[in-house]
Amino acid sequence: MFINPVIAATQGASNFFTSIVSFFTEGGGFMIIIIVAMLLLMIIPQRKREKKVKQMLESLKPGDRIRTIGGIYGTITSVRDDVITISVGPDKVRMVFARGAVATIEDSEVENTMDDSVATTK
C-alpha cells in the first residue's frame, strides 16, 4: 500500500486545525483570553512606571532637591554620565551616587528643616 506524503501532510494539518477550532469552541479560548488580559494588565502599567522613572532620571540637573533610595535627602551639585554628586545637611557634605539611586525629585526643603543640634553631636 502506497501512502502519498502530500495527502498525509494535508490530513495531519487538517486534524491539527480541527483540534484548535474545537478547543476554542469548547471554552478553552476563553481561558486563553483571560490569561492574555491578565498579562496585559500587569505589563502595561509596569512599562508606564519604567518610562516615568527613566524620564525623571534623565531630567536630573544641578540644583534639584532629591531623595535617594536609601532615604538621603540632598541637592544635586553635579551630574556626569551615570554619577551624580549631592550636597547633604547644613554642612553641605558632598556624596557621590549612581544616577539610578535617585528615588524622587522632592519639592519640599527637608534638608533645611534639620536643626544644628542634630549635626553637632559629639
Side-chain angles (χ1 to χ4, degrees):
M1 179 186 292
F2 177 73
I3 298 176
N4 187 344
V6 173
I7 294 173
T10 56
Q11 286 176 348
S14 174
N15 289 339
F16 174 72
F17 290 118
T18 303
S19 65
I20 288 177
V21 169
S22 67
F23 176 74
F24 280 107
T25 57
E26 293 175 7
F30 182 70
M31 186 71 103
I32 291 176
I33 291 171
I34 295 290
I35 291 171
V36 169
M38 287 177 58
L39 286 173
L40 288 176
L41 287 173
M42 290 186 306
I43 292 172
I44 291 173
Q46 179 64 28
R47 285 190 179 173
K48 285 182 181 179
R49 278 191 296 273
E50 289 174 358
K51 187 176 181 180
K52 286 175 106 174
V53 168
K54 184 177 178 184
Q55 288 174 346
M56 184 265 305
L57 291 176
E58 288 174 353
S59 71
L60 293 175
K61 61 189 178 304
D64 285 346
R65 304 183 74 72
I66 62 164
R67 179 177 53 90
T68 67
I69 57 175
I72 298 172
Y73 290 86
T75 305
I76 297 177
T77 56
S78 71
V79 178
R80 281 179 275 130
D81 298 326
D82 254 0
V83 177
I84 62 167
T85 304
I86 66 172
S87 60
V88 179
D91 295 334
K92 303 297 181 198
V93 175
R94 289 190 170 197
M95 301 175 80
V96 178
F97 288 95
R99 187 183 290 244
V102 176
T104 60
I105 298 176
E106 296 291 321
D107 294 332
S108 63
E109 296 188 14
V110 174
E111 188 175 312
N112 291 338
T113 61
M114 293 176 46
D115 59 357
D116 290 331
S117 65
V118 175
T120 57
T121 57
K122 292 183 180 183

